Structure formats: C-alpha cells, structure tokens
Amino acid sequence: MTTEMNENKEGKKPLNFIESIIEDDIKAEKHQQIYTRFPPEPNGYLHIGHAKSICLNFGLSENYKGKCNLRFDDTNPVKEDVEYVESIKEDIKWLGFNWEDEVKFTSDYFDRLYEFAVKLIKSGNAYVCELNPEQIREYRGTPKEPGKESPWRNRDVTESVKLFAGMKNGDFEEGKYLLRAKIDMTSPNMHMRDPILYRIRFANHHRTGDTWKIYPMYDFAHGQSDYFEGITHSVCTLEFEVHRPLYDWFIDKLADSDYRPQQIEFARLNLTYTVMSKRKLLELVEKKYVSGWDDPRMPTISAFRRRGYTAESIRNFSDKVGIARRNGFIDVSLLEHSIREDLNKKANRVMGVLNPLKVVIDNYPEDGEEYLDAVNNPEDESRGKRKVPFSKELYIEQEDFMENPPRKFFRLGIDREVRLRYAYFIKCTHVVKDVEGKITEVHCTYDPASKGGKSPDGRKVKGTLHWVSVKHAIKSEVRLYDRLFTVENPQADKEKDFKEFINKDSLKVIENAMLEPHLKNIKAGEQLQFERMGYFCVDKDSTTDKLVFNRTVTLRDSWAKVKGK
Ligand code: ATP
Ligand code: MG
C-alpha cells in the first residue's frame, strides 16, 4: 500500500493528502473551524479498521483545534443494538479520544429527514413506487445498460405525498411501497438510478421504539446528517466515492447556503490473517468459532484490549500505516511490532515457566533458600529490583533441556553448563526417567561462586535460562494465541467460505504454568514480560483461586542465543 504525502511548506512534518486538503481550506478561510465525525453503525463491535478511522477523524480535529462528533448511523433497526452503542463508546474512550458534546444519532434526525423527503416529493424529485425487489433489480439495468423508468415514476405529487404519509403511519404492509428519488435511470452511475430513500419496516428501533414504520436508507441519511451537524470534512472509505454524486445531489436540493460537507475518501485498512467485516465477525461469534467479540484472537478493539494491547500501540500503528488512496493489505507483523515497542518500555520482567521440567540441584542444601536480586526492567533502571526465591528444586522449560543435544543447542544437556538468570551456573549430571522413559528430573550441580549468574573465573556459558523455584511457584493458566486464519487473505478465494481457513491451533491453553511468586500481587491490566516467552497480561477470567494469563505477543528476540533448533 502506498502512502501519498506532500511536504508542507516548512518541510518539517510530511502531510498526508487529507491534511493537505484541510490546510488548503484553512488558508482559503473556507471554514471557521474544522469539524469531523466518526459515524459507526451500531451493528457490531469496532475493529482495528475502525480504530484507523477513529484516530484519523479525532486526530484531525485535535491537530487543527476543531471538533469531532461521534454519530451513530442507526438507520437499520433490525441489526442494531444498545450493547453495540455502549461498546463503541467504551472503545473510543479507551483509545484516548473524546467526542464533541453529547453523542449524536442519525435517529435524532428522523423528523428532519422525513420533512426533507416530503419536500423532495413536493418539488417533483421523489415518488412513491410499487415495484417489488425483483422488479427494482430488473428495472435498474446494469453498469453497461441503462435502466428503465418505473411505471410509478410520474405518479401525481399529491398522491405520493399522501401515500408516503400512509407509509409513515403504518397503513401499509412491509414491501408494499417505497419512496424513491427521481434522478436518472440512464445514469452511468448506478447509485443515481432512482435510489430508494425509504422502506416500510415494522421493526423496533433501539432508540425510537415503535414510533417509526418507515426507515431511511443509509445513503439518504448519511450526507444529510453531516450537513445537519455542520461537518466540514466528511472522511470515509473508498467504496463511498461512487456515492458522492448522490450525496451532493441531495444536499443541492436541501441546502440554502453555500456550505457543503466535503467528502474525502481514503483506503480501508486491511490486515493480513484476519477478516474485518462486522458481518463476518458476527458470524464467528454466533457460530462460536470464538468465545465472543472480545476473544483475544479477534481483530476487534475490545479483543486487543483484553489481550494486552495498549491504546498507545494501536494509535502508533495507525500513524505508521498512514493514509492511502489505494486499497491494500498491511502485514499484521507491523501491529505486533507496535505493541512490542510499547511494552518493551512499559512492562516489567518476571520469570514464568510455561512447560515445567523439574531440576534438582544435588549440591544445594536440602532446606536451603535464598532471595536473589532480579532487575525489573533493563530499559528503565528506575523500576528497581525485586527478590526472587531460589531453592534446591526448580522448574525450567522442557524445551530448554535435551538429553542428547546437537552441537548447536546452547541450552541444558548432560555435561553441559548454563546460567540460570540472576542465580547461578548449573551443570547437568544425569536425568531420572519414569517407566515410560519420560524425563521427570534433571539433576545438576551448581557453582556457588557464580552467584548472581556471574562467571567466577571468566569461563563462558552460551545459554541463559529462566526458572522458578518449585516450592515458591504459583500455578496458573496461560493462553497462547496464534493467528485466527491460516492464510493472509481468507477472503481472496471467492469460491470458498472464509471459515475454511480458520486456524484450528489458534488457541493453546496451558493449565499448569509455574510463575515466580511475585506475580501474586499482579493487578488487572498490568502488563508483564515473561522473560524469553513474550508479553503477558491477566485475563478477565482470573479468579482469586486461579490466575489466567493471555500472551499479548511473543518476543522477537530472546536473550538465549538458541540456534540449530
Ligand atoms: P464493516 O465493513 O467492517 O462492517 P462498516 O463500514 O460497515 O464496516 P461502519 O460502522 O459503517 O462500518 O464504519 C464506521 C466508520 O469506520 C466509517 O466511516 C467507515 O468508513 C470506517 N471504517 C470501517 N471499516 C474500516 C477499515 N477497515 N478501515 C478504515 N476505516 C474503516
Ligand atoms: Mg458502513
């Protein structure tokens, strides 16, 4: 995806093309103040694509000391719900943005839209039509062939006014009548071929209840809502470019001044290894492929939050991907990079063993116990140190031990020496196995002179392992996530259902991870790095008896120089 930018005059900060338009408008004194809006439909939870649009719209208003509305485009009562309204508000606040005044709803404008529709009928620009959906399709024509005019197109104006009032009052069943704009059935732009403005719908609306029996189409409501609110720059995604002439047509019929909201289109954010349409995400939720909208594998803002992503990392990501005019895909690894970058500074380090293997230090005193200094964050000295208990029996990762390791395996093996982080050098002497031949204990000796993990005589070890003392360890559940889909674009093959590409191994639950006791005091929302294993946070499923952790993201680099694996 290419990002189109212009240098501004001072040559300091590159402007994206939307900022260039706005700066030109400011210079031309076109508006007193910049006014943008974020207009979600409350029919699902927000995803990372919406986050892009939020950062853009709210960001522009912040940068240019303007205003930004949150407006719910609630024109389709069948799919909308207050649960979604609440979640959307929460997500926007969490991202760090505030909307102007109270929240706006398109449904607040239902009366004004209705009045405008009546005005269109009276001025000969709209009519009540009786074609059924199949006929509408047939009369519409195709992009290559012109459409045909509806036989109801020249219906008497007073009759249309009367029928439209009847539609509003619930006098007719659903589907009996439609209100359509009278524009041009031969227009090369299909959206101009007498588009539908209103449909009869006996649906309960989450805000207006049963008041309305007719609902405006999105295309009829959207541009006018911008107009009613005094929006100066109406930023939307590319698919609405072809709708723009229609929006302009409506506003020309409505406006009594020169003021027009200016629509500017940019490319949708698409991310690899996921899907981003709310309809598809809803399907994953309803068919229980995931545990809910905030399942940490989902691309929703609530899922990222639960998984341990910070608002800052998402805002930085949004900044980095820039604003494009052509559709393309952004590699999910860019998002992962953003969160690593942020957590590297913020997260304290701790030790946690995900797949424990017991190590016995044979030359350590039977009841010995000592507390060793461990650094909380090597990136930030002010975070200080903590004490980590050490004893005769420890856990290390199963994958850090091999009975017969290849030469390039730099972790523990028989007769090999490694460093235990912040503790001692240990050397493996032998292993104990169960009847099935599975290793149950790795026996080692330690070098008391290497306390703190420092070499006593200049001798080097290649591997450094994390560990947890057996008798001090706290047991917890750890959830590891992989990408939800096995292919970059699960929607690329139109012949196939996107669900065929779901990654069956996208969630791995570890029941008995062993963590250093320091973690007993962890607070909800605190982010940590389990050394070598990634960044983690406490999940909302945690109870007083059992901590549950999510892995936010793996570490790209680990300090054990593991090669030849
Ligand atoms: P979806 O197709 O995911 O259901 P939508 O466009 O129907 O999304 P809306 O609630 O209408 O969802 O979106 C609110 C705003 O967010 C719109 O202005 C829309 O253009 C923008 N938006 C939606 N998806 C993306 C995306 N992937 N990238 C950038 N902006 C987006
Ligand atoms: Mg939409």
Side-chain angles (χ1 to χ4, degrees), residues 39-41 43 50 218 237 239-240 268 278:
E41 186 183 350
N43 61 351
H50 294 116
Y218 178 84
T237 40
E239 67 274 21
F240 290 102
R268 250 169 202 273
K278 279 183 281 189

